Amino acid sequence: MSSSPDIVIIGSGVGGATVAAGLAMTGAQILILEAGDHIADLPVNRDQRAIFQRGHFRPKETWYEANGKGFNPGNYYNVGGNSKFYGAVLSRYRKEDFAVIEHREGVSPAWPFPYEVLEPWYCQAERMYQVRGSLGEDPTEPHHSAAYEYPPVPDEAPIADIRARLKQKGLHPFSLPLGLDLDAWLSKAPTPWDAHPNARDGKMDAETAALSVALRHENVRLETNARVTRLDTGARSRIDRVAYIKNGQTVTVSPEIVILSAGAVQSSVLLLRSKNDRFPKGLANSSDQVGRNFMNHNASAVIGVSPRFKNTSIYQKTFAFNDFYLSDGEGGPPLGNVQLLGRISEKVLKGSLPQAPEWLLRFITGHAIDFYAMSEDVPNPESRVMVDGDRIILQWQRTNWDAHLALVAKLKVILKSIGFPIVLSRPFDKRTPSHQCGTIRIGNDPATAPLDAYCRAYDHENLFVVDASFLPTSAAVNPALTVAAQALRVADHIASQDLQA
């Protein structure tokens, strides 16, 4: 392939891989640059002590809080990005998430377009990621113009029992939409998939579902261990050069189109570090919004324990309920989503409770049910990603935390009412990324948003940002499917508007 490809895509996560799949059939010469490498198919991939106690897959890097305190982020650099470790939940945003929503603390702003614009692309993304699910169980589910092509992943017996108990209380548990081939996953080892790496084991992640489609085309090439360090602009403000490090050497390419898909933190970091005399605040940043409005879901693990309940499940993560998604159930503002976590074993739990003996944790987890409570983090311009030389500074200011505490409190009451007298909860912190998004949002006004509704930078006509950075709101569900749907929409726009010019 030429050193001057038509398109360079930076990053192979859900945004980059999906936009590559959408553009592959155009015949354009596409180069995908990935800072990491493939996850090898090794026994350590299912070694829960290695994953959760020793942090085998965690990156060896430090980010910093605004006060200078360092922390190890839970972001991954590999082909497929963070989706290699995700829980494979591929939910649509609710229709209401695209409009203004009043929260207990702040306002979630409207998108530059309504749900109906993205709906057909949601359908395409669900087909690409082979989503398993069912319709008609969740009252908050927006209109689907096509049904899921695969039935939902089945509940194991203890989980079916819990679903039935919740229904008896008047709640509406529904089958999670999952990108997962269950038989393939379990054939490798009897573990949950949530937070476990996927080496083509059955999870439909960015690599297996989207990148594999793109790489079937000879005009698409993936270069691994290629860390992009800078974007340079030319006389017309276009991005005319991409610089990256490969094998210790700096390499440059000069594409016609640049698609930045390095994630909410790293995409904004690259734009800020690429500042020059003409763009002293960083690229795509005449609005001074790059890096701002960082969002990370308010999330907690909530575990119900009962000596009378025996949890023999392997994977567990098959249903959720949204009874408090659009309101608190009493006419007040929204609280969020509740879904099952992947089955927590004593080996997993010891990662959070290192002093506790595994035999005790084995007893607890054998009589427990594990939930994940998730609430919206409202955009705040002072919640931001900044750079200081080589340092990445993450100034995350939680918003809407009172709503999350209310959701956790409601879940505790519910679990006690269905037979779990002991309920424990623990919030996730900066070390556990809970769907990082924002930082380079889309909008109709270039004074307040770096990107237009097709993720094109207002300041640079040949730059697109296609990852969770573009999300103007976090909603209260995993954003992966929304990122994939918009990536397909953007790919179609580039194919019809830019590549035809």
Side-chain angles (χ1 to χ4, degrees):
M1 180 177 291
S2 168
S3 62
S4 299
D6 299 311
I7 301 172
V8 164
I9 300 173
I10 303 168
S12 63
V14 169
T18 308
V19 77
L23 289 168
M25 288 188 294
T26 64
Q29 295 297 305
I30 300 171
L31 172 62
I32 304 167
L33 299 174
E34 169 55 52
D37 208 335
H38 296 275
I39 290 179
D41 186 3
L42 298 171
V44 72
N45 295 356
R46 301 296 182 95
D47 183 342
Q48 295 185 332
R49 290 190 181 95
I51 298 168
F52 297 97
Q53 296 179 29
R54 301 196 295 273
H56 177 82
F57 291 98
R58 293 187 72 88
K60 294 177 174 58
E61 69 174 331
T62 301
W63 294 354
Y64 295 87
E65 299 182 44
N67 62 10
K69 183 179 179 181
F71 65 97
N72 176 234
N75 294 56
Y76 301 99
Y77 303 100
N78 41 247
V79 177
N82 285 330
S83 73
K84 300 301 292 185
F85 292 81
Y86 78 156
V89 177
L90 291 162
S91 298
R92 299 184 179 200
Y93 273 21
R94 310 295 93 173
K95 178 179 179 179
E96 292 82 357
D97 288 322
F98 289 79
V100 173
I101 297 180
E102 298 278 347
H103 288 277
R104 287 193 179 192
E105 182 184 341
V107 176
S108 182
W111 280 51
F113 51 80
Y115 167 80
E116 288 77 11
V117 169
L118 204 56
E119 198 282 330
W121 303 105
Y122 271 131
C123 292
Q124 286 197 26
E126 285 163 347
R127 287 194 295 271
M128 178 174 287
Y129 283 80
Q130 300 176 39
V131 180
R132 277 75 169 158
S134 61
L135 300 177
E137 299 175 338
D138 176 15
T140 73
E141 184 74 38
H143 168 69
H144 284 235
S145 58
Y148 292 115
E149 294 188 340
Y150 300 89
V153 176
D155 290 344
E156 294 151 292
I159 308 310
D161 173 37
I162 299 300
R163 190 196 287 239
R165 295 189 202 185
L166 292 171
K167 284 184 177 180
Q168 289 175 357
K169 292 294 179 179
L171 296 166
H172 300 82
F174 64 93
S175 298
L176 278 169
L178 295 167
L180 182 85
D181 181 335
L182 180 63
D183 291 338
W185 182 265
L186 294 181
S187 69
K188 189 69 68 73
T191 69
W193 57 84
D194 205 357
H196 291 65
N198 178 39
R200 301 179 180 271
D201 299 334
K203 265 200 283 192
M204 305 304 163
D205 59 35
E207 179 190 18
T208 57
L211 188 61
S212 62
V213 173
L215 292 177
R216 292 173 193 160
H217 298 261
E218 293 184 356
N219 55 302
V220 181
R221 181 167 67 88
L222 170 68
E223 192 163 340
T224 60
N225 300 303
R227 182 171 62 86
V228 176
T229 57
R230 185 172 180 83
L231 307 179
D232 288 318
T233 58
R236 292 189 297 153
S237 300
R238 291 169 58 88
I239 308 301
D240 65 359
R241 191 173 67 166
V242 177
Y244 63 98
I245 295 175
K246 174 78 173 182
N247 297 325
Q249 302 295 317
T250 296
V251 183
T252 62
V253 288
S254 299
E256 290 298 314
I257 295 171
V258 176
I259 301 175
L260 179 53
S261 302
V265 173
Q266 294 290 0
S267 285
S268 55
V269 164
L270 182 59
L271 293 178
L272 293 171
R273 284 182 173 160
S274 296
K275 65 182 180 180
N276 57 39
D277 290 343
R278 188 171 181 185
F279 300 100
K281 294 181 180 179
L283 301 188
N285 200 24
S286 61
S287 64
D288 192 32
Q289 293 299 301
V290 169
R292 296 184 184 271
N293 302 296
F294 172 85
M295 294 169 283
N296 193 63
H297 280 139
N298 298 313
S300 295
V302 182
I303 301 175
V305 183
S306 171
R308 295 185 177 182
F309 177 70
K310 182 68 172 175
N311 193 346
T312 58
S313 68
I314 295 172
Y315 51 88
Q316 182 174 270
K317 192 181 183 74
T318 50
F319 74 75
F321 59 89
N322 280 331
D323 293 80
F324 309 110
Y325 193 96
L326 298 178
S327 80
D328 62 2
E330 301 170 11
L335 299 184
N337 165 271
V338 176
Q339 61 185 254
L340 286 164
L341 278 168
R343 178 81 158 89
I344 294 180
S345 68
E346 71 279 3
K347 300 171 189 175
V348 174
L349 190 56
K350 190 172 176 64
S352 299
L353 301 171
Q355 304 304 318
E358 281 194 11
W359 65 263
L360 176 60
L361 299 179
R362 186 178 304 113
F363 175 81
I364 294 172
T365 58
H367 296 275
I369 187 72
D370 318 304
F371 281 96
Y372 180 69
M374 179 166 47
S375 305
E376 182 158 359
D377 187 15
V378 178
N380 174 358
E382 296 309 312
S383 188
R384 60 189 298 198
V385 176
M386 298 175 285
V387 296
D388 181 11
D390 291 335
R391 287 190 171 196
I392 294 174
I393 300 171
L394 179 59
Q395 180 177 283
W396 178 33
Q397 299 183 4
R398 285 186 188 269
T399 65
N400 210 30
W401 186 244
D402 284 348
H404 181 67
L405 295 179
L407 178 64
V408 170
K410 279 186 178 289
L411 179 55
K412 288 182 175 181
V413 170
I414 290 168
L415 290 176
K416 289 179 179 180
S417 76
I418 63 171
F420 291 89
I422 302 170
V423 185
L424 310 171
S425 65
R426 181 168 182 165
F428 292 105
D429 61 14
K430 291 182 175 71
R431 294 184 73 253
T432 306
S434 299
H435 313 139
Q436 297 169 348
C437 59
T439 72
I440 316 171
R441 63 183 178 180
I442 57 174
N444 289 326
D445 183 357
T448 59
L451 309 176
D452 71 12
Y454 287 102
C455 294
R456 187 195 302 269
Y458 283 110
D459 295 348
H460 315 287
E461 64 179 2
N462 69 330
L463 173 65
F464 295 80
V465 182
V466 185
D467 57 25
S469 304
F470 74 72
L471 293 169
T473 61
S474 67
V477 294
N478 185 315
L481 187 73
T482 300
V483 172
Q486 174 72 345
L488 292 173
R489 178 173 177 264
V490 170
D492 178 76
H493 179 76
I494 292 173
S496 61
Q497 300 296 318
D498 295 81
L499 296 181
Q500 299 300 319

